[in-house]
Amino acid sequence: MRSIDDFTRPVEYLSPLDRSLGEILRNWAEKEVIPNRREYDEDWEEHRLIEPAFGRLMAELGLQRVLFPEEVGGWGLGHSDYLGTGSYRMFEEIARADSAMAVAFGVVFWPLIMICNEPHVNMRLCEEFAPMFCETDKAVFCANAMTEPQGGADIENMDLLKGSTIETTAVLDGDQWVINGHKLWPTNSGGVADLFGVVCTTSPGSIDPEDFAFIFVPGDAEGVTQGKPYQKAGMAADKNSDIWFENVRVPSWYRACGPGDDFKYFKEVICLGSMGTVAFVSGAMMNVYEILKGFCEEKTYRGRPLKENDDVAGLLADFVRDLEVIRVIGYQFARMMDRPDLYGDRWSEEMVVKGRAFKYFAADKAVENLGLVMNLMGAHGSDRVRDVEKHWRDLKIAQLWMGGKQLCQMEVARWFFECETL
Amino acid sequence: MADYKALPHWLAVWIEIIGQFRLPSVFFAVCRVIESVRVDYEACSKPFMIVEGEMKYQEIFPVPREWVQDIDEFMAETVTRWAEQEVIAGRLEHAEDYDKLLVPAIRKLFIDIGLQSMLWPEELGGGGLGTPEAAMTVATVLEQVGFADTGIGFLYANSFALQHAFAVEPHRNGELLQELVPVFCGDEVAVGSLVLPGYGSGNPGEGGAFHGLAYQVAAESRNGGWALSGKAVRPQCSGKTAALFAVAFDAGDGEPAVVLLKSDDDGLSSGEPFKKTGLAASLNADLDLKEVEAPGALVILRGEERFREMLSVYYMCCAAICVGSLLATYEILKVWGDTRVIKGKGQEFKENPLVASLMGEAAGGIATSRVLTYNLARMLSRPDIYGPPGSQATYATATVIFKHVTRSAMLSMNNTMELMGSAGYATEWNLERYWRDVKCIENSVIPETAARVDLARHFFGCRTL
Ligand SMILES: Cc1cc2nc3c(=O)[nH]c(=O)nc-3n(C[C@H](O)[C@H](O)[C@H](O)COP(=O)(O)OP(=O)(O)OC[C@H]3O[C@@H](n4cnc5c(N)ncnc54)[C@H](O)[C@@H]3O)c2cc1C
């Protein structure tokens, strides 16, 4: 019988851990998430059902440690050749069950990329923060605080605006940074995050990359306030809220990489976000494939199983065609992250742009395909019991976050066509 | 045909009621977020009026004005005020709360304003609009209801299509009207829900097929009436709360018929409401029918043509709701486009050519959807010009327009959400609610493939499909 494992991946790219990690995560998803996920929408504020599943994944199975170097108790993914493909598999398996959980999990790594990845490992900060993640039996979360009320896309539009619209300020006062500002939307906010990576500026309005600063702030630092989670169309397992930083003081060495390098390596963070988005899409679409296959065998049309009708089969074929393509592209980009020796630096403009192109292609295809699948399912398409509508609601955000589709389009056009005024 | 120029007595009662509807506009919620925007609230209360100085959707998006009669306009205005006072203002506090917001709003609309009995003859306590022209009236009204709440619109679309089959000339059924007076002209809200053919489950007891889709119930002729059975039967809406179900069944040799079942009929039970993407006003639940007996007098229609007519009316109603939701989307996007800044300080959002092109596409979708829906309403309201509403041709047009409007509504809403970034995804901005609601209408009224094949059958003469 065909299954989700029949979708193509470039197998020679995969990490040696791929199979066992995949199995562990699939078991976890089947046991801890899939049976409960239909209740997640009502659990968006409390996370009573969601928290225990995270606890098992991150603390008990230990996956919150994977990025940290072995010397500080981690699994060393950040200096392996499998940062991309290894993470891709994890994100994909989790997203098959719930893409919001995959995001929340992915964002635990997201700011840590700045300090855990070769060649820019900041060992002092790894030592500082590793115990939070590696010496605990509780799930611990990070948040990557970029977006501000006046606009998230502009902050991610680094090539054009170079951080000049960032309003969160960092002022050096002796051996401390003093941070002031208001952020919106970070994944794992709303009271969840234990550690923030905060995008700030040391000189508001400046286009000098040296003024772009990425500074870590513990969630319990004085002056940090996380608001109540927002209610949204989907993604219940990811809490998002306002965060206010009011005269928050952290040691000066909490800056991730330093002047110039924060700006440079932050582009690697963007690339991981794009790759993660493709993985969330392919994981969720794989689950939709499983559901759709069952549905088309159970229901009849013109007296035959739904899938045995030519017109329906045409739509089914389109769906799996797109899923095949998305998955291959996703693993390809993951490989490009793994092998800078072959594909160039993970923080290069070229990688950012290619990641953006793959991200918005996958997100567009997801929204289009899941909408069509719901239409195909007729009166059952919007039924929570079938789970497809949940993936449809969840995946819509994949188009919107990280600056939205139009920012992706502009960056891609600018690079490939060498546009000069956009 | 009714003379709409002479307003009947019950309008005077309405005028008294609507005198109380004087609350802020549909912009209210959005303006709370973007405080800098000032809006002429009074102007928003008049759906078809040209307002000098400020362009509102009412004048921007075209309506074939000569088809809209005074009564239509009057009712749409009434419903606009209901929308503002009963739904939009309350939404700030109650979001989509069924008991606190939606139930009182439905009651006001169905009973106090009287939509529930609109088609009933005046002498039976109704609104006296039982002529085909009611199609245009309901289009204008449902647009306003859909603007406020897609789900409430959907309940009324079902109720209207059900009633239309026996309360509107030339199919007016005096006896049935008389019998159902306590249901529709009383003090209790009575939602009617359609039970249409869908995919089959392959069970042996399943009741025949209509153009490839299976009737959800098996019917047996008994004592001059019918006994209906079916498991996990899915109504279009309100399985838990509807007063009546209009159930399609095979009356022999594949001939479609529709019979009314009351929710308290022996043998009819409903499960718990199931969770779904949207349409919070509809507490939908599957039904179990164990030889539910219905007298022949409750068969409201028989034959393909009558069945197609009911579906055409239903599709038109659903399209009108979606147009209303699109107009709400427009207002949300307008505020966003006027006030947001991208690509650095001082760059007005809507002046960016890329986003402007998407805004333009959304506007185009809204404009064509509105015009098409009014055209369909016109076709249904004037059989003397366009032929019977149940003809193959009208049914095909109704299907085309319903599919076009829902598709372009989803496209416009998807694009709008894209343009609004996370705000579009947040409940606070209301857009995501319309997006979820319209999606439910798009997928649940008729399965996509069946609609396409219906069209091919008509336009290309397919014989075996
Ligand atoms: C579930 C979820 C998780 C999130 N996680 C995080 C997170 O972890 N960290 C974080 O910082 N933020 C996060 N966000 C916020 C998200 O990344 C931002 O909302 C997004 O970047 C867009 O920013 P914005 O909403 O401020 O929209 P805006 O910046 O106002 O952009 C709105 C729209 O304007 C258009 N636009 C913008 N720039 C251009 C341009 N140059 N050219 C043409 N059109 C343009 C696009 O259509 C864009 O979608 C999350 C949001 C959600 C819903």
Side-chain angles (χ1 to χ4, degrees):
Chain A
M1 229 176 55
R2 301 270 185 280
S3 75
I4 48 173
D5 294 316
D6 291 306
F7 287 96
T8 309
R9 296 190 292 166
V11 285
E12 70 253 54
Y13 294 168
L14 305 183
S15 87
L17 276 179
D18 183 83
R19 181 189 289 258
S20 48
L21 208 52
E23 269 170 25
I24 290 170
L25 285 166
R26 198 168 291 181
N27 287 339
W28 164 82
E30 297 286 352
K31 221 167 119 204
E32 310 281 343
V33 182
I34 292 178
N36 298 325
R37 66 182 174 184
R38 282 175 204 148
E39 311 298 322
Y40 281 9
D41 276 304
E42 286 68 37
D43 195 30
W44 66 277
E45 221 172 347
E46 303 287 327
H47 277 195
R48 281 199 199 113
L49 290 170
I50 295 164
E51 242 171 54
F54 272 132
R56 177 114 183 85
L57 173 75
M58 289 164 53
E60 284 181 45
L61 294 173
L63 288 178
Q64 66 198 19
R65 308 179 198 176
V66 292
L67 206 60
F68 285 100
E70 290 97 323
E71 305 89 288
V72 293
W75 294 7
L77 191 68
H79 61 250
S80 75
D81 278 347
Y82 298 106
L83 169 75
T85 46
S87 322
Y88 192 97
R89 179 72 200 263
M90 290 193 283
F91 296 165
E92 191 179 55
E93 285 295 338
I94 301 172
R96 177 181 155 254
D98 188 292
S99 35
M101 292 192 87
V103 179
F105 172 72
V107 171
V108 174
F109 302 164
W110 214 17
L112 296 176
I113 293 266
M114 294 291 283
I115 56 168
C116 293
N117 271 19
E118 293 292 356
H120 48 87
V121 176
N122 180 333
M123 207 46 162
R124 189 174 179 192
L125 281 180
C126 285
E127 279 165 5
E128 174 86 0
F129 297 130
M132 277 173 76
F133 296 85
C134 306
E135 294 168 17
T136 175
D137 55 4
K138 291 208 174 71
V140 179
F141 291 88
C142 290
N144 187 26
M146 304 179 283
T147 306
E148 296 182 356
Q150 76 281 3
D154 278 0
I155 292 178
E156 293 204 39
N157 196 346
M158 294 177 73
D159 198 28
L160 188 78
L161 298 171
K162 299 186 170 33
S164 58
T165 65
I166 300 168
E167 290 184 1
T168 301
T169 54
V171 176
L172 201 55
D173 181 19
D175 60 356
Q176 288 185 322
W177 287 109
V178 182
I179 299 176
N180 279 288
H182 180 192
K183 297 286 184 181
L184 303 180
W185 282 110
T187 285
N188 298 334
S189 47
V192 172
D194 304 283
L195 182 65
F196 288 99
V198 185
V199 170
C200 13
T201 177
T202 56
S203 173
S206 163
I207 54 163
D208 183 348
E210 304 226 333
D211 293 322
F212 178 101
F214 191 87
I215 300 176
F216 284 94
V217 174
D220 59 3
E222 207 181 321
V224 176
T225 312
Q226 301 187 44
K228 280 192 184 316
Y230 314 130
Q231 197 173 5
K232 6 184 238 304
M235 289 273 169
D238 173 14
K239 285 194 196 178
N240 314 84
S241 73
D242 296 63
I243 307 150
W244 292 271
F245 298 95
E246 280 171 275
N247 292 320
V248 177
R249 287 177 172 270
V250 293
S252 57
W253 49 278
Y254 273 26
R255 183 168 184 174
C257 307
D261 282 351
D262 279 347
F263 185 83
K264 179 164 128 188
Y265 295 125
F266 190 69
K267 292 184 181 172
E268 190 177 341
V269 171
I270 306 254
C271 285
L272 187 85
S274 296
M275 187 206 79
T277 304
V278 184
F280 307 149
V281 166
S282 64
M285 280 181 74
M286 276 159 51
N287 188 227
V288 171
Y289 160 78
E290 299 171 283
I291 297 164
L292 189 56
K293 189 155 182 282
F295 184 81
C296 291
E297 285 161 2
E298 172 196 328
K299 296 288 176 191
T300 62
Y301 177 42
R302 298 194 195 96
R304 294 191 279 278
L306 204 47
K307 67 179 187 177
E308 301 300 337
N309 286 274
D310 303 53
D311 46 348
V312 174
L315 293 171
L316 298 178
D318 288 354
F319 174 79
V320 290
R321 173 204 60 187
D322 287 349
L323 174 50
E324 269 283 283
V325 170
I326 289 166
R327 203 172 190 221
V328 172
I329 284 173
Y331 273 99
Q332 179 58 46
F333 189 58
R335 174 67 167 182
M336 289 161 71
M337 301 273 292
D338 284 344
R339 295 297 300 270
D341 53 323
L342 298 176
Y343 297 98
D345 292 331
R346 286 192 283 258
W347 50 88
S348 70
E349 202 47 45
E350 178 180 349
M351 280 290 281
V352 170
V353 158
K354 290 183 177 169
R356 295 273 201 206
F358 299 148
K359 180 232 164 193
Y360 94 80
F361 172 80
D364 277 3
K365 284 289 169 196
V367 172
E368 180 191 324
N369 274 291
L370 267 51
L372 290 173
V373 168
M374 285 174 74
N375 292 351
L376 174 65
M377 291 171 74
H380 301 273
S382 42
D383 187 339
R384 180 99 60 92
V385 170
R386 301 281 173 175
D387 292 321
V388 171
E389 67 88 35
K390 168 188 163 50
H391 286 305
W392 173 77
R393 283 184 289 117
D394 287 350
L395 285 187
K396 179 66 191 172
I397 192 60
Q399 259 180 339
L400 314 175
W401 65 26
M402 293 190 62
K405 173 176 169 176
Q406 286 67 40
L407 175 67
C408 295
Q409 289 178 311
M410 289 305 92
E411 296 208 331
V412 171
R414 199 153 60 209
W415 193 81
F416 278 99
F417 291 90
E418 299 176 89
C419 308
E420 285 171 5
T421 63
L422 299 179
Chain B
M1 307 241 162
D3 178 12
Y4 285 138
K5 296 280 178 304
L7 298 182
H9 160 75
W10 56 270
L11 268 186
V13 180
W14 275 25
I15 288 164
E16 245 173 62
I17 295 170
I18 60 151
Q20 307 158 10
F21 287 77
R22 283 283 161 206
L23 265 199
S25 98
V26 286
F27 268 151
F28 190 59
V30 177
C31 291
R32 289 277 290 252
V33 184
I34 307 289
E35 283 164 17
S36 58
V37 178
R38 226 205 95 257
V39 181
D40 180 348
Y41 293 136
E42 245 328 281
C44 293
S45 305
K46 306 202 184 312
F48 301 101
M49 219 179 122
I50 294 185
V51 185
E52 262 177 47
E54 236 182 302
M55 296 283 275
K56 297 278 168 238
Y57 73 78
Q58 295 90 341
E59 57 186 297
I60 293 175
F61 294 106
V63 169
R65 279 174 197 283
E66 63 261 50
W67 298 340
V68 178
Q69 303 193 40
D70 291 349
I71 178 76
D72 307 335
E73 197 157 328
F74 175 79
M75 286 184 64
E77 273 184 36
T78 308
V79 173
T80 305
R81 292 198 184 91
W82 160 85
E84 291 162 0
Q85 179 171 343
E86 301 299 321
V87 184
I88 291 155
R91 203 190 273 155
L92 285 172
E93 193 183 344
H94 299 305
E96 288 179 276
D97 192 293
Y98 181 74
D99 292 316
K100 292 199 183 106
L101 180 77
L102 300 173
V103 169
I106 293 168
R107 187 174 173 81
K108 201 108 198 174
L109 185 71
F110 279 44
I111 306 287
D112 298 353
I113 295 182
L115 287 197
Q116 178 167 299
S117 56
M118 178 177 107
L119 298 179
W120 252 250
E122 280 180 77
E123 59 276 19
L124 295 180
L129 296 188
T131 70
E133 277 148 317
M136 185 57 75
T137 311
V138 81
T140 59
V141 163
L142 273 177
E143 192 182 85
Q144 297 308 314
V145 181
F147 183 95
D149 188 276
T150 323
I152 297 179
F154 195 57
L155 303 195
Y156 190 63
N158 269 267
S159 300
F160 183 85
L162 175 152
Q163 295 175 35
H164 190 276
F166 61 91
V168 169
E169 288 167 4
H171 310 304
R172 202 183 275 184
N173 177 337
E175 275 173 34
L176 197 51
L177 285 169
Q178 187 75 51
E179 185 180 336
L180 293 176
V181 161
V183 180
F184 286 103
C185 303
D187 275 347
E188 294 300 318
V189 170
V191 171
S193 174
L194 306 183
V195 179
L196 302 176
Y199 292 136
S201 54
N203 292 336
E206 215 161 65
F210 177 72
H211 293 171
L213 293 174
Y215 292 107
Q216 296 195 62
V217 295
E220 189 191 304
S221 162
R222 192 179 287 176
N223 307 328
W226 295 90
L228 305 179
S229 300
K231 272 198 167 314
V233 170
R234 175 147 302 182
Q236 287 282 298
C237 69
S238 307
K240 196 70 195 168
T241 55
L244 288 173
F245 296 98
V247 184
F249 66 99
D250 181 350
D253 297 330
E255 184 195 27
V258 174
V259 64
L260 290 184
L261 300 183
K262 295 184 182 142
S263 57
D264 56 3
D265 278 345
D266 283 345
L268 193 154
S269 58
S270 65
E272 280 310 299
F274 58 85
K275 292 173 183 156
K276 54 189 168 26
T277 310
L279 300 176
S282 158
L283 291 192
N284 208 2
D286 287 345
L287 309 175
D288 268 353
L289 280 70
K290 288 196 189 99
E291 305 205 16
V292 182
E293 295 199 19
L298 289 184
V299 174
I300 55 173
L301 63 87
R302 246 183 119 137
E304 274 212 28
E305 185 170 329
R306 292 288 311 283
F307 189 50
R308 281 195 302 258
E309 177 173 347
M310 186 180 86
L311 292 177
S312 299
V313 169
Y314 183 45
Y315 294 172
M316 185 276 293
C317 290
C318 290
I321 304 163
C322 295
V323 170
S325 305
L326 272 171
L327 295 170
T329 302
Y330 164 78
E331 290 208 341
I332 295 168
L333 181 57
K334 179 83 167 59
V335 172
W336 181 264
D338 286 347
T339 52
R340 195 69 177 167
V341 164
I342 52 163
K343 285 184 87 172
K345 298 206 162 77
Q347 313 265 338
E348 208 178 322
F349 186 86
K350 68 182 181 190
E351 302 301 334
N352 178 284
L354 177 62
V355 303
S357 72
L358 275 181
M359 292 171 99
E361 194 182 357
I366 300 169
T368 50
S369 297
R370 198 177 198 199
V371 167
L372 284 169
T373 302
Y374 277 91
N375 270 272
L376 177 56
R378 175 69 171 176
M379 290 173 74
L380 297 174
S381 67
R382 293 298 300 268
D384 53 319
I385 304 174
Y386 294 97
S391 69
Q392 287 276 10
T394 304
Y395 175 67
T397 307
T399 308
V400 168
I401 291 176
F402 169 70
K403 289 312 286 179
H404 176 91
V405 170
T406 47
R407 193 176 303 132
S408 73
M410 285 316 297
L411 185 71
S412 299
M413 289 180 186
N414 268 313
N415 285 348
T416 300
M417 219 184 243
E418 250 169 63
L419 293 173
M420 293 178 63
S422 292
Y425 198 68
T427 304
E428 187 186 354
W429 274 84
N430 287 317
L431 174 68
E432 66 87 25
R433 189 173 48 77
Y434 291 106
W435 175 75
R436 287 185 287 110
D437 286 348
V438 170
K439 184 69 200 169
C440 289
I441 294 183
E442 188 193 27
N443 70 256
S444 59
V445 167
I446 176 171
E448 180 83 18
T449 40
R452 288 188 196 176
V453 174
D454 276 351
L455 293 179
R457 199 179 296 117
H458 173 68
F459 286 105
F460 293 93
C462 308
R463 289 187 308 277
T464 62
L465 294 176

